[in-house]
Amino acid sequence: MRPRALVAPDSFKGTFDAPTVAAALADGLEDAGWQADRCPVADGGEGTMALLVDALGGELVAARASDPLGRPVACHFGLVDSGATAIVEMAQASGLALVAPAERDPWRASTRGTGELILAAVATGARKIHVAAGGSATTDGGAGAIEVIRDGGGIGAARLAVLCDVECAFEDAARVFGPQKGADPDLVRRLEERLAAFAAALPKDPRGVRATGCAGGLSGGLWAAFDAELRPGAAAVLEALGVDERLGAAQLVVAGEGRMDGQSFGGKIVGELMRRAHAAQVPIHAVVGASELSDDEAAAAGLERVWIASTLDEIAAAGRALGGAAMARR
């Protein structure tokens, strides 16, 4: 019987979604003699909602919301557990992908649309709202979402849980992620000042609390204003996908993401997959579009090897090459 590989990539953001990457890797691995268990993953960022709705047998609900600059945009949120739980992906309404590079305005960009999606989910009768926080264009600390929710009557008896894709605290959101959203050093400083003032005005202060800096501080704002639970998004997705059980049948794990850097191991999906693969004593490789880590740094983190591939043909070729190398070591 051919050995089995768990193929569990995240999206290559801005290029390929996770299912597309998983399919290319699986093709390459199968050419090298492996069985491929396709398991596209996410960590709270883009794609999380679709993966969870599919894994949990839910449905997508169409909605309209405001984009980061206040323009109407067509969105979806998910319903699972017979409608008792909703999944809101903030990137659907407040994501960086909705704003062209020339339009990016980190000062003006707002999470109002995310608040509108949360209210729409509450209106269905859902009692638990999971908010996938990642891929944002915003650094407003969740101010827009909080204002919309309060003006709309609040969340009632519903409970919020934020699926966090990073571990940084509220006060670090502008410094760490602002430049990706178009902020120069002066604007980063102004955003930090605005976040600090907003934090001081919230019912409790999110500064210094782990994972309150997700999505430009949205996670911290919802935690402070509505007592939202902060959950590691990577762990939540892997649990929903039954990854621990699937690891029990695997002899190899292949992770993937668009860019690997030091943050890949701080709450991101690659780090969580590594932890679980090591616990199951299954070797793990990563195929990435680009990497800021040296081979020694990747090995020290626990990866067998990092393979660089930026096109679908290259991703499939990396699957064949790592599959062949892993097969030779068996």
PDB file of all heavy atoms in Angstrom, residues 103-132:
ATOM      1  N   GLU A 103      -5.661  52.832  -3.740  1.00  0.00           N
ATOM      2  CA  GLU A 103      -6.749  53.358  -2.899  1.00  0.00           C
ATOM      3  C   GLU A 103      -6.478  53.166  -1.407  1.00  0.00           C
ATOM      4  O   GLU A 103      -7.250  53.666  -0.587  1.00  0.00           O
ATOM      5  CB  GLU A 103      -8.055  52.628  -3.202  1.00  0.00           C
ATOM      6  CG  GLU A 103      -8.580  52.769  -4.615  1.00  0.00           C
ATOM      7  CD  GLU A 103      -9.847  51.952  -4.799  1.00  0.00           C
ATOM      8  OE1 GLU A 103      -9.877  50.771  -4.381  1.00  0.00           O
ATOM      9  OE2 GLU A 103     -10.810  52.493  -5.348  1.00  0.00           O
ATOM     10  N   ARG A 104      -5.452  52.449  -1.050  1.00  0.00           N
ATOM     11  CA  ARG A 104      -5.257  52.082   0.350  1.00  0.00           C
ATOM     12  C   ARG A 104      -5.101  53.313   1.231  1.00  0.00           C
ATOM     13  O   ARG A 104      -4.284  54.186   0.965  1.00  0.00           O
ATOM     14  CB  ARG A 104      -4.062  51.135   0.488  1.00  0.00           C
ATOM     15  CG  ARG A 104      -4.375  49.769  -0.100  1.00  0.00           C
ATOM     16  CD  ARG A 104      -3.227  48.800  -0.039  1.00  0.00           C
ATOM     17  NE  ARG A 104      -3.602  47.568  -0.730  1.00  0.00           N
ATOM     18  CZ  ARG A 104      -2.780  46.570  -1.000  1.00  0.00           C
ATOM     19  NH1 ARG A 104      -1.507  46.659  -0.623  1.00  0.00           N
ATOM     20  NH2 ARG A 104      -3.204  45.502  -1.630  1.00  0.00           N
ATOM     21  N   ASP A 105      -5.895  53.333   2.288  1.00  0.00           N
ATOM     22  CA  ASP A 105      -5.926  54.481   3.188  1.00  0.00           C
ATOM     23  C   ASP A 105      -6.118  53.949   4.602  1.00  0.00           C
ATOM     24  O   ASP A 105      -7.245  53.851   5.094  1.00  0.00           O
ATOM     25  CB  ASP A 105      -7.073  55.416   2.793  1.00  0.00           C
ATOM     26  CG  ASP A 105      -7.087  56.706   3.600  1.00  0.00           C
ATOM     27  OD1 ASP A 105      -6.404  56.769   4.645  1.00  0.00           O
ATOM     28  OD2 ASP A 105      -7.785  57.652   3.184  1.00  0.00           O
ATOM     29  N   PRO A 106      -5.038  53.573   5.276  1.00  0.00           N
ATOM     30  CA  PRO A 106      -5.170  52.953   6.602  1.00  0.00           C
ATOM     31  C   PRO A 106      -5.853  53.842   7.637  1.00  0.00           C
ATOM     32  O   PRO A 106      -6.428  53.324   8.605  1.00  0.00           O
ATOM     33  CB  PRO A 106      -3.715  52.662   7.000  1.00  0.00           C
ATOM     34  CG  PRO A 106      -2.962  52.633   5.712  1.00  0.00           C
ATOM     35  CD  PRO A 106      -3.647  53.628   4.824  1.00  0.00           C
ATOM     36  N   TRP A 107      -5.797  55.151   7.446  1.00  0.00           N
ATOM     37  CA  TRP A 107      -6.456  56.039   8.414  1.00  0.00           C
ATOM     38  C   TRP A 107      -7.972  56.009   8.237  1.00  0.00           C
ATOM     39  O   TRP A 107      -8.728  55.962   9.203  1.00  0.00           O
ATOM     40  CB  TRP A 107      -5.939  57.465   8.253  1.00  0.00           C
ATOM     41  CG  TRP A 107      -6.489  58.401   9.283  1.00  0.00           C
ATOM     42  CD1 TRP A 107      -7.527  59.273   9.148  1.00  0.00           C
ATOM     43  CD2 TRP A 107      -6.027  58.535  10.629  1.00  0.00           C
ATOM     44  NE1 TRP A 107      -7.754  59.942  10.326  1.00  0.00           N
ATOM     45  CE2 TRP A 107      -6.840  59.516  11.255  1.00  0.00           C
ATOM     46  CE3 TRP A 107      -5.010  57.937  11.373  1.00  0.00           C
ATOM     47  CZ2 TRP A 107      -6.659  59.895  12.583  1.00  0.00           C
ATOM     48  CZ3 TRP A 107      -4.825  58.326  12.688  1.00  0.00           C
ATOM     49  CH2 TRP A 107      -5.651  59.289  13.289  1.00  0.00           C
ATOM     50  N   ARG A 108      -8.421  55.998   7.005  1.00  0.00           N
ATOM     51  CA  ARG A 108      -9.856  56.040   6.716  1.00  0.00           C
ATOM     52  C   ARG A 108     -10.508  54.660   6.781  1.00  0.00           C
ATOM     53  O   ARG A 108     -11.701  54.543   7.098  1.00  0.00           O
ATOM     54  CB  ARG A 108     -10.051  56.642   5.318  1.00  0.00           C
ATOM     55  CG  ARG A 108     -11.499  56.758   4.876  1.00  0.00           C
ATOM     56  CD  ARG A 108     -11.561  57.321   3.465  1.00  0.00           C
ATOM     57  NE  ARG A 108     -12.868  57.120   2.868  1.00  0.00           N
ATOM     58  CZ  ARG A 108     -13.110  57.111   1.573  1.00  0.00           C
ATOM     59  NH1 ARG A 108     -12.114  57.293   0.713  1.00  0.00           N
ATOM     60  NH2 ARG A 108     -14.324  56.917   1.111  1.00  0.00           N
ATOM     61  N   ALA A 109      -9.760  53.604   6.470  1.00  0.00           N
ATOM     62  CA  ALA A 109     -10.342  52.264   6.373  1.00  0.00           C
ATOM     63  C   ALA A 109     -11.028  51.863   7.671  1.00  0.00           C
ATOM     64  O   ALA A 109     -10.460  51.977   8.755  1.00  0.00           O
ATOM     65  CB  ALA A 109      -9.246  51.249   6.026  1.00  0.00           C
ATOM     66  N   SER A 110     -12.247  51.368   7.547  1.00  0.00           N
ATOM     67  CA  SER A 110     -13.096  51.102   8.717  1.00  0.00           C
ATOM     68  C   SER A 110     -13.602  49.661   8.716  1.00  0.00           C
ATOM     69  O   SER A 110     -13.780  49.046   7.666  1.00  0.00           O
ATOM     70  CB  SER A 110     -14.298  52.058   8.697  1.00  0.00           C
ATOM     71  OG  SER A 110     -15.278  51.689   9.653  1.00  0.00           O
ATOM     72  N   THR A 111     -13.883  49.166   9.924  1.00  0.00           N
ATOM     73  CA  THR A 111     -14.484  47.833  10.096  1.00  0.00           C
ATOM     74  C   THR A 111     -16.007  47.892  10.178  1.00  0.00           C
ATOM     75  O   THR A 111     -16.642  46.935  10.623  1.00  0.00           O
ATOM     76  CB  THR A 111     -13.933  47.164  11.366  1.00  0.00           C
ATOM     77  OG1 THR A 111     -14.097  48.062  12.481  1.00  0.00           O
ATOM     78  CG2 THR A 111     -12.475  46.783  11.220  1.00  0.00           C
ATOM     79  N   ARG A 112     -16.615  48.976   9.725  1.00  0.00           N
ATOM     80  CA  ARG A 112     -18.079  49.082   9.794  1.00  0.00           C
ATOM     81  C   ARG A 112     -18.755  47.891   9.112  1.00  0.00           C
ATOM     82  O   ARG A 112     -19.747  47.352   9.608  1.00  0.00           O
ATOM     83  CB  ARG A 112     -18.555  50.382   9.137  1.00  0.00           C
ATOM     84  CG  ARG A 112     -18.235  51.648   9.919  1.00  0.00           C
ATOM     85  CD  ARG A 112     -18.851  52.890   9.271  1.00  0.00           C
ATOM     86  NE  ARG A 112     -20.309  52.789   9.232  1.00  0.00           N
ATOM     87  CZ  ARG A 112     -21.109  53.134  10.238  1.00  0.00           C
ATOM     88  NH1 ARG A 112     -20.596  53.602  11.361  1.00  0.00           N
ATOM     89  NH2 ARG A 112     -22.415  53.025  10.116  1.00  0.00           N
ATOM     90  N   GLY A 113     -18.247  47.480   7.969  1.00  0.00           N
ATOM     91  CA  GLY A 113     -18.862  46.367   7.252  1.00  0.00           C
ATOM     92  C   GLY A 113     -18.844  45.081   8.045  1.00  0.00           C
ATOM     93  O   GLY A 113     -19.797  44.284   7.973  1.00  0.00           O
ATOM     94  N   THR A 114     -17.791  44.870   8.807  1.00  0.00           N
ATOM     95  CA  THR A 114     -17.747  43.679   9.666  1.00  0.00           C
ATOM     96  C   THR A 114     -18.840  43.750  10.726  1.00  0.00           C
ATOM     97  O   THR A 114     -19.502  42.748  11.022  1.00  0.00           O
ATOM     98  CB  THR A 114     -16.367  43.534  10.317  1.00  0.00           C
ATOM     99  OG1 THR A 114     -15.380  43.343   9.280  1.00  0.00           O
ATOM    100  CG2 THR A 114     -16.326  42.364  11.274  1.00  0.00           C
ATOM    101  N   GLY A 115     -19.044  44.928  11.283  1.00  0.00           N
ATOM    102  CA  GLY A 115     -20.134  45.094  12.238  1.00  0.00           C
ATOM    103  C   GLY A 115     -21.483  44.810  11.601  1.00  0.00           C
ATOM    104  O   GLY A 115     -22.365  44.188  12.214  1.00  0.00           O
ATOM    105  N   GLU A 116     -21.666  45.245  10.357  1.00  0.00           N
ATOM    106  CA  GLU A 116     -22.921  44.975   9.648  1.00  0.00           C
ATOM    107  C   GLU A 116     -23.135  43.473   9.440  1.00  0.00           C
ATOM    108  O   GLU A 116     -24.257  42.962   9.587  1.00  0.00           O
ATOM    109  CB  GLU A 116     -22.901  45.711   8.308  1.00  0.00           C
ATOM    110  CG  GLU A 116     -22.983  47.228   8.464  1.00  0.00           C
ATOM    111  CD  GLU A 116     -22.573  47.995   7.225  1.00  0.00           C
ATOM    112  OE1 GLU A 116     -22.169  47.358   6.224  1.00  0.00           O
ATOM    113  OE2 GLU A 116     -22.654  49.235   7.253  1.00  0.00           O
ATOM    114  N   LEU A 117     -22.054  42.748   9.122  1.00  0.00           N
ATOM    115  CA  LEU A 117     -22.180  41.298   8.953  1.00  0.00           C
ATOM    116  C   LEU A 117     -22.502  40.617  10.280  1.00  0.00           C
ATOM    117  O   LEU A 117     -23.289  39.660  10.323  1.00  0.00           O
ATOM    118  CB  LEU A 117     -20.887  40.728   8.362  1.00  0.00           C
ATOM    119  CG  LEU A 117     -20.609  41.020   6.895  1.00  0.00           C
ATOM    120  CD1 LEU A 117     -19.297  40.379   6.463  1.00  0.00           C
ATOM    121  CD2 LEU A 117     -21.747  40.529   6.003  1.00  0.00           C
ATOM    122  N   ILE A 118     -21.903  41.078  11.361  1.00  0.00           N
ATOM    123  CA  ILE A 118     -22.206  40.503  12.682  1.00  0.00           C
ATOM    124  C   ILE A 118     -23.679  40.715  13.018  1.00  0.00           C
ATOM    125  O   ILE A 118     -24.370  39.787  13.475  1.00  0.00           O
ATOM    126  CB  ILE A 118     -21.281  41.104  13.759  1.00  0.00           C
ATOM    127  CG1 ILE A 118     -19.836  40.612  13.552  1.00  0.00           C
ATOM    128  CG2 ILE A 118     -21.776  40.744  15.166  1.00  0.00           C
ATOM    129  CD1 ILE A 118     -18.818  41.300  14.427  1.00  0.00           C
ATOM    130  N   LEU A 119     -24.193  41.920  12.774  1.00  0.00           N
ATOM    131  CA  LEU A 119     -25.607  42.178  13.040  1.00  0.00           C
ATOM    132  C   LEU A 119     -26.511  41.310  12.160  1.00  0.00           C
ATOM    133  O   LEU A 119     -27.537  40.801  12.621  1.00  0.00           O
ATOM    134  CB  LEU A 119     -25.930  43.659  12.797  1.00  0.00           C
ATOM    135  CG  LEU A 119     -25.492  44.651  13.872  1.00  0.00           C
ATOM    136  CD1 LEU A 119     -25.877  46.063  13.454  1.00  0.00           C
ATOM    137  CD2 LEU A 119     -26.124  44.317  15.230  1.00  0.00           C
ATOM    138  N   ALA A 120     -26.110  41.116  10.906  1.00  0.00           N
ATOM    139  CA  ALA A 120     -26.907  40.262  10.004  1.00  0.00           C
ATOM    140  C   ALA A 120     -26.926  38.829  10.510  1.00  0.00           C
ATOM    141  O   ALA A 120     -27.964  38.149  10.453  1.00  0.00           O
ATOM    142  CB  ALA A 120     -26.339  40.319   8.587  1.00  0.00           C
ATOM    143  N   ALA A 121     -25.800  38.371  11.025  1.00  0.00           N
ATOM    144  CA  ALA A 121     -25.739  37.010  11.572  1.00  0.00           C
ATOM    145  C   ALA A 121     -26.593  36.891  12.825  1.00  0.00           C
ATOM    146  O   ALA A 121     -27.324  35.898  13.014  1.00  0.00           O
ATOM    147  CB  ALA A 121     -24.290  36.639  11.875  1.00  0.00           C
ATOM    148  N   VAL A 122     -26.536  37.887  13.692  1.00  0.00           N
ATOM    149  CA  VAL A 122     -27.357  37.876  14.907  1.00  0.00           C
ATOM    150  C   VAL A 122     -28.843  37.852  14.546  1.00  0.00           C
ATOM    151  O   VAL A 122     -29.650  37.165  15.186  1.00  0.00           O
ATOM    152  CB  VAL A 122     -27.030  39.103  15.788  1.00  0.00           C
ATOM    153  CG1 VAL A 122     -28.040  39.245  16.926  1.00  0.00           C
ATOM    154  CG2 VAL A 122     -25.615  38.996  16.361  1.00  0.00           C
ATOM    155  N   ALA A 123     -29.212  38.582  13.476  1.00  0.00           N
ATOM    156  CA  ALA A 123     -30.620  38.668  13.071  1.00  0.00           C
ATOM    157  C   ALA A 123     -31.184  37.319  12.630  1.00  0.00           C
ATOM    158  O   ALA A 123     -32.403  37.127  12.641  1.00  0.00           O
ATOM    159  CB  ALA A 123     -30.780  39.695  11.957  1.00  0.00           C
ATOM    160  N   THR A 124     -30.315  36.368  12.259  1.00  0.00           N
ATOM    161  CA  THR A 124     -30.805  35.044  11.870  1.00  0.00           C
ATOM    162  C   THR A 124     -31.197  34.206  13.077  1.00  0.00           C
ATOM    163  O   THR A 124     -31.797  33.138  12.918  1.00  0.00           O
ATOM    164  CB  THR A 124     -29.738  34.267  11.073  1.00  0.00           C
ATOM    165  OG1 THR A 124     -28.642  33.920  11.937  1.00  0.00           O
ATOM    166  CG2 THR A 124     -29.250  35.081   9.881  1.00  0.00           C
ATOM    167  N   GLY A 125     -30.821  34.650  14.275  1.00  0.00           N
ATOM    168  CA  GLY A 125     -31.083  33.876  15.478  1.00  0.00           C
ATOM    169  C   GLY A 125     -29.889  33.087  15.974  1.00  0.00           C
ATOM    170  O   GLY A 125     -29.991  32.365  16.974  1.00  0.00           O
ATOM    171  N   ALA A 126     -28.756  33.206  15.291  1.00  0.00           N
ATOM    172  CA  ALA A 126     -27.544  32.514  15.746  1.00  0.00           C
ATOM    173  C   ALA A 126     -27.172  33.000  17.140  1.00  0.00           C
ATOM    174  O   ALA A 126     -27.231  34.202  17.428  1.00  0.00           O
ATOM    175  CB  ALA A 126     -26.399  32.759  14.779  1.00  0.00           C
ATOM    176  N   ARG A 127     -26.772  32.067  17.995  1.00  0.00           N
ATOM    177  CA  ARG A 127     -26.429  32.413  19.374  1.00  0.00           C
ATOM    178  C   ARG A 127     -24.924  32.465  19.616  1.00  0.00           C
ATOM    179  O   ARG A 127     -24.461  32.950  20.628  1.00  0.00           O
ATOM    180  CB  ARG A 127     -27.076  31.419  20.347  1.00  0.00           C
ATOM    181  CG  ARG A 127     -28.565  31.657  20.531  1.00  0.00           C
ATOM    182  CD  ARG A 127     -28.756  33.001  21.231  1.00  0.00           C
ATOM    183  NE  ARG A 127     -30.162  33.373  21.369  1.00  0.00           N
ATOM    184  CZ  ARG A 127     -30.746  34.318  20.671  1.00  0.00           C
ATOM    185  NH1 ARG A 127     -30.063  34.963  19.737  1.00  0.00           N
ATOM    186  NH2 ARG A 127     -32.010  34.631  20.873  1.00  0.00           N
ATOM    187  N   LYS A 128     -24.145  31.932  18.668  1.00  0.00           N
ATOM    188  CA  LYS A 128     -22.683  32.028  18.752  1.00  0.00           C
ATOM    189  C   LYS A 128     -22.192  32.551  17.413  1.00  0.00           C
ATOM    190  O   LYS A 128     -22.541  32.015  16.367  1.00  0.00           O
ATOM    191  CB  LYS A 128     -22.070  30.650  19.052  1.00  0.00           C
ATOM    192  CG  LYS A 128     -20.559  30.654  19.309  1.00  0.00           C
ATOM    193  CD  LYS A 128     -20.232  31.295  20.650  1.00  0.00           C
ATOM    194  CE  LYS A 128     -18.750  31.163  21.000  1.00  0.00           C
ATOM    195  NZ  LYS A 128     -18.385  29.844  21.509  1.00  0.00           N
ATOM    196  N   ILE A 129     -21.414  33.628  17.442  1.00  0.00           N
ATOM    197  CA  ILE A 129     -20.891  34.233  16.221  1.00  0.00           C
ATOM    198  C   ILE A 129     -19.369  34.107  16.251  1.00  0.00           C
ATOM    199  O   ILE A 129     -18.702  34.706  17.095  1.00  0.00           O
ATOM    200  CB  ILE A 129     -21.264  35.731  16.110  1.00  0.00           C
ATOM    201  CG1 ILE A 129     -22.738  35.972  16.467  1.00  0.00           C
ATOM    202  CG2 ILE A 129     -20.909  36.247  14.727  1.00  0.00           C
ATOM    203  CD1 ILE A 129     -23.730  35.362  15.536  1.00  0.00           C
ATOM    204  N   HIS A 130     -18.830  33.303  15.356  1.00  0.00           N
ATOM    205  CA  HIS A 130     -17.377  33.201  15.204  1.00  0.00           C
ATOM    206  C   HIS A 130     -16.939  34.245  14.183  1.00  0.00           C
ATOM    207  O   HIS A 130     -17.437  34.263  13.049  1.00  0.00           O
ATOM    208  CB  HIS A 130     -16.983  31.808  14.715  1.00  0.00           C
ATOM    209  CG  HIS A 130     -17.204  30.721  15.714  1.00  0.00           C
ATOM    210  ND1 HIS A 130     -16.472  30.614  16.872  1.00  0.00           N
ATOM    211  CD2 HIS A 130     -18.075  29.689  15.733  1.00  0.00           C
ATOM    212  CE1 HIS A 130     -16.877  29.565  17.556  1.00  0.00           C
ATOM    213  NE2 HIS A 130     -17.867  28.991  16.888  1.00  0.00           N
ATOM    214  N   VAL A 131     -16.007  35.098  14.567  1.00  0.00           N
ATOM    215  CA  VAL A 131     -15.495  36.137  13.673  1.00  0.00           C
ATOM    216  C   VAL A 131     -14.072  35.768  13.279  1.00  0.00           C
ATOM    217  O   VAL A 131     -13.164  35.788  14.116  1.00  0.00           O
ATOM    218  CB  VAL A 131     -15.523  37.521  14.347  1.00  0.00           C
ATOM    219  CG1 VAL A 131     -15.006  38.590  13.379  1.00  0.00           C
ATOM    220  CG2 VAL A 131     -16.934  37.865  14.821  1.00  0.00           C
ATOM    221  N   ALA A 132     -13.877  35.397  12.017  1.00  0.00           N
ATOM    222  CA  ALA A 132     -12.541  35.088  11.517  1.00  0.00           C
ATOM    223  C   ALA A 132     -11.824  36.400  11.243  1.00  0.00           C
ATOM    224  O   ALA A 132     -12.242  37.187  10.391  1.00  0.00           O
ATOM    225  CB  ALA A 132     -12.631  34.248  10.245  1.00  0.00           C
TER     226      ALA A 132
END
